[in-house]
Amino acid sequence: MSDHLKDSEEPSNKRVKPVMKSNSLTGVITPVKTPALKRIGQSISRSISFRTEARPLPPAHLRQRSKASSFPRRRNSQCWSDTVESHDLTVKEIKRQEVIYELTEGERQLIDDLSLVKKVYYEPMLKLDIMTESELGQIFGTLDSLIPLHQDLLSRLERLRGSEKTVGEVGPTLINWFPCLEAYVTYCCNQVGAKALLDQKKNEKRVEHFLRLCQESSFSRKLDLWNFLDLPRSRLVKYPLLLKEIQKCTPPDHPDEDTLPDALELIQSIVAEVNKKTGEAECQFYRRGLMYLEDGQRLPEIQQSRFLYCHGELKNNKGQRLHVFLFELALVLSRPGEDRDGGQVFHVYRQPLPNALINLEEIPDGEAAGGGTFRGAFTGGNDKVKNCFRVSSRGRSKAHSFSLQANDSFSKQQWITCLRQAIVHSRDKKGSCEALCRTLVSQKGLQRETTDISQSVLYTSLMGLLLVADNEVWI
């Protein structure tokens, strides 16, 4: 989850009170004298807030508009303590009401944003024929169906507020509503392809011009279309954090003490399932985009992988930029390209490496680039190298050794960490596969030569698994 938005400045001819930077979802808080109850609420609001995934774009030169937009740039900075005059509550109870209020207002803001996306992006682009209905359907996915879900939760939360604007028991309501979030599986799985198509369409002048005009308008809050499309996923991963805060502020004798743990476990399982399915969809999407130069590059480990550890740009020792994929069971180096329709594809570069057979070597910064290992393009004309590591494979005659360079030390460390995890995972999986196959062969008394067709098929299948795991037939 990334940094929250920084509000734009007010017009210079308008007198305003200074404001403080805040990480709260509810915006900024004016540092003026307030009653004690409100000061507590504001302090709590800052401490319990979490950063959203929305990220402002870098400033761009946009044309001036003569007429101001009717959409506000700022979010409502009100917190729960601003809605009540006074109340006989303890500090812990106030904290609880602030978190519940933030949960409620977060739903309201999400509904507003999703409705805005439909009204100012989807409908105009369809009406003006900027994109086809099919393309818009791929980019926006099932976003329209998410609005009623959050409207339902908002109405439920509002009904829980008593006459004194406090909420009592919230756990049962959340337990009853959270299963609706399974609809996020479809939406989030579609996002991988949606992002790729949107990036492709931005190369068209009409699309780019329309999106820039929207970004320029006040309603956008300096966000582009993708920031809005990613808001539901950002909201989903925030629910467990909010629940933990509510649970932390709930007294031991409160009715929610028994239901909140169940609600937290439920939402965590839903988020985990969405993440799993999204990871599988991402893996399938990039697998389909691989273009093989020869059949020998089509490792079974690539097709058997269910998720991606990471992927991104690295340089080889010739200074060439490669897009590297670390799948669950294989490392694939590729060169980005385009297909006939302008979609992105990845041409597989050299021979992919099975993770179980990878040898990883971290190259310390400042190591001499002797022996022609690193060329001038790799070292920038110096005799020292930085942010580099080497991967090689054992046990396969066609395997290669690759020296790779990351953009910075942080990126290098991320790659090394993911590679180590992938290597350990793949070797553990390979060891389990070998042990199972050998056990079955031993228990069944299977042999290479047999007249029993079923035994022969089973033997061949088991040997195939071992061949995939170790690249040599065990007998």
Side-chain angles (χ1 to χ4, degrees):
M1 294 180 285
S2 59
D3 295 333
H4 189 54
L5 304 178
K6 182 179 179 182
D7 287 324
S8 60
E9 297 180 355
E10 294 286 344
S12 57
N13 61 350
K14 182 178 179 181
R15 298 183 62 185
V16 294
K17 297 179 181 179
V19 296
M20 298 174 59
K21 290 170 65 178
S22 170
N23 288 332
S24 171
L25 286 180
T26 54
V28 294
I29 300 175
T30 307
V32 296
K33 293 183 179 181
T34 56
L37 178 60
K38 292 187 178 181
R39 289 202 302 271
I40 294 175
Q42 292 171 347
S43 174
I44 294 166
S45 179
R46 289 192 292 269
S47 67
I48 65 176
S49 299
F50 308 96
R51 295 176 295 177
T52 69
E53 287 288 338
R55 185 187 298 273
L57 294 179
H61 178 70
L62 300 171
R63 70 178 180 88
Q64 298 295 323
R65 303 192 66 168
S66 58
K67 186 177 180 180
S69 172
S70 59
F71 291 95
R73 280 186 181 272
R74 294 177 179 269
R75 287 294 196 188
N76 185 0
S77 61
Q78 191 178 55
C79 55
W80 176 81
S81 53
D82 294 323
T83 67
V84 294
E85 293 297 329
S86 61
H87 207 287
D88 186 19
L89 295 177
T90 65
V91 172
K92 193 170 185 178
E93 289 171 333
I94 295 174
K95 288 182 180 180
R96 175 181 161 86
Q97 294 303 319
E98 292 289 359
V99 185
I100 295 176
Y101 184 81
E102 184 169 357
L103 170 65
T104 305
E105 291 306 300
E107 292 300 301
R108 193 187 313 279
Q109 292 175 4
L110 179 63
I111 293 167
D112 291 343
D113 282 335
L114 297 187
S115 301
L116 180 145
V117 169
K118 179 181 178 182
K119 183 176 181 179
V120 260
Y121 284 99
Y122 182 90
E123 293 177 356
M125 283 195 287
L126 180 61
K127 185 176 181 179
L128 298 174
D129 198 26
I130 294 176
M131 292 191 204
T132 67
E133 186 174 2
S134 175
E135 290 169 338
L136 291 171
Q138 293 178 54
I139 292 173
F140 288 83
T142 57
L143 181 138
D144 195 33
S145 67
L146 301 181
I147 298 176
L149 299 182
H150 294 280
Q151 287 175 333
D152 180 35
L153 177 59
L154 177 61
S155 63
R156 295 188 191 196
L157 292 174
E158 288 179 333
R159 287 197 297 268
L160 293 178
R161 300 190 72 179
S163 56
E164 298 178 340
K165 298 184 178 181
T166 58
V167 175
E169 192 175 6
V170 74
T173 297
L174 297 177
I175 289 177
N176 182 259
W177 182 80
F178 278 152
C180 298
L181 292 175
E182 292 177 356
Y184 269 68
V185 172
T186 303
Y187 182 78
C188 292
C189 287
N190 178 72
Q191 280 195 298
V192 182
K195 181 66 164 60
L197 178 58
L198 180 59
D199 290 341
Q200 176 186 339
K201 297 297 293 184
K202 283 180 180 179
N203 295 324
E204 298 180 10
K205 188 174 181 179
R206 289 191 69 204
V207 176
E208 188 272 342
H209 180 67
F210 177 85
L211 294 179
R212 283 177 64 85
L213 289 179
C214 289
Q215 181 188 341
E216 178 189 17
S217 302
S218 298
F219 67 79
S220 71
R221 305 194 307 278
K222 296 185 179 180
L223 301 177
D224 69 357
L225 173 57
W226 182 252
N227 291 135
F228 285 107
L229 294 177
D230 199 42
L231 286 176
R233 185 192 60 82
S234 303
R235 184 64 180 171
L236 177 66
V237 299
K238 188 171 180 179
Y239 288 121
L241 304 177
L242 288 169
L243 253 67
K244 287 178 182 178
E245 290 298 324
I246 297 175
Q247 190 175 16
K248 189 187 302 182
C249 304
T250 300
D253 57 345
H254 196 281
D256 267 347
E257 183 68 15
D258 295 329
T259 55
L260 284 178
D262 294 336
L264 180 59
E265 182 179 358
L266 176 59
I267 186 57
Q268 286 176 333
S269 66
I270 292 174
V271 172
E273 179 67 14
V274 172
N275 285 337
K276 177 184 175 183
K277 296 297 185 182
T278 304
E280 292 174 354
E282 181 185 33
C283 183
Q284 293 173 7
F285 176 82
Y286 286 115
R287 277 207 316 253
R288 290 194 299 267
L290 295 177
M291 305 293 290
Y292 298 94
L293 301 179
E294 56 182 49
D295 289 339
Q297 294 176 327
R298 298 177 181 273
L299 296 185
E301 288 90 345
I302 299 175
Q303 296 303 318
Q304 292 166 5
S305 294
R306 298 166 298 173
F307 61 88
L308 272 167
Y309 281 99
C310 60
H311 67 95
E313 185 181 280
L314 295 171
K315 287 183 181 179
N316 64 5
N317 61 339
K318 297 179 181 179
Q320 297 172 330
R321 296 182 182 275
L322 304 175
H323 198 98
V324 182
F325 297 93
L326 180 56
F327 290 97
E328 178 191 11
L329 301 175
L331 179 70
V332 180
L333 282 66
S334 71
R335 289 172 173 168
E338 291 185 356
D339 58 19
R340 295 180 179 178
D341 299 325
Q344 190 171 39
V345 295
F346 301 91
H347 301 279
V348 176
Y349 176 78
R350 303 293 176 84
Q351 183 67 21
L353 306 181
N355 293 345
L357 303 180
I358 286 180
N359 289 322
L360 174 63
E361 178 186 356
E362 183 174 358
I363 302 174
D365 289 350
E367 179 180 295
T373 304
F374 300 97
R375 302 191 179 186
F378 200 61
T379 61
N382 299 321
D383 292 330
K384 306 295 183 179
V385 297
K386 294 183 66 176
N387 309 320
C388 300
F389 58 94
R390 184 180 293 113
V391 290
S392 57
S393 181
R394 56 183 176 83
R396 295 194 177 187
S397 59
K398 291 186 178 181
H400 296 274
S401 174
F402 301 106
S403 297
L404 301 169
Q405 183 182 41
N407 292 329
D408 50 51
S409 58
F410 178 74
S411 178
K412 171 189 173 181
Q413 195 55 50
Q414 282 188 313
W415 276 101
I416 289 176
T417 300
C418 289
L419 279 164
R420 286 172 177 163
Q421 292 176 349
I423 291 169
V424 170
H425 171 77
S426 296
R427 289 179 180 174
D428 288 345
K429 189 170 183 177
K430 170 192 168 186
S432 301
C433 177
E434 289 177 339
L436 176 61
C437 291
R438 290 187 173 103
T439 300
L440 290 174
V441 169
S442 175
Q443 289 179 349
K444 299 296 183 180
L446 300 177
Q447 299 178 5
R448 181 190 294 272
E449 303 296 338
T450 177
T451 57
D452 189 327
I453 296 179
S454 61
Q455 285 195 14
S456 176
V457 171
L458 180 57
Y459 179 88
T460 303
S461 300
L462 293 174
M463 291 305 101
L465 288 174
L466 284 175
L467 179 62
V468 169
D470 204 26
N471 199 38
E472 59 183 24
V473 177
W474 171 83
I475 298 179

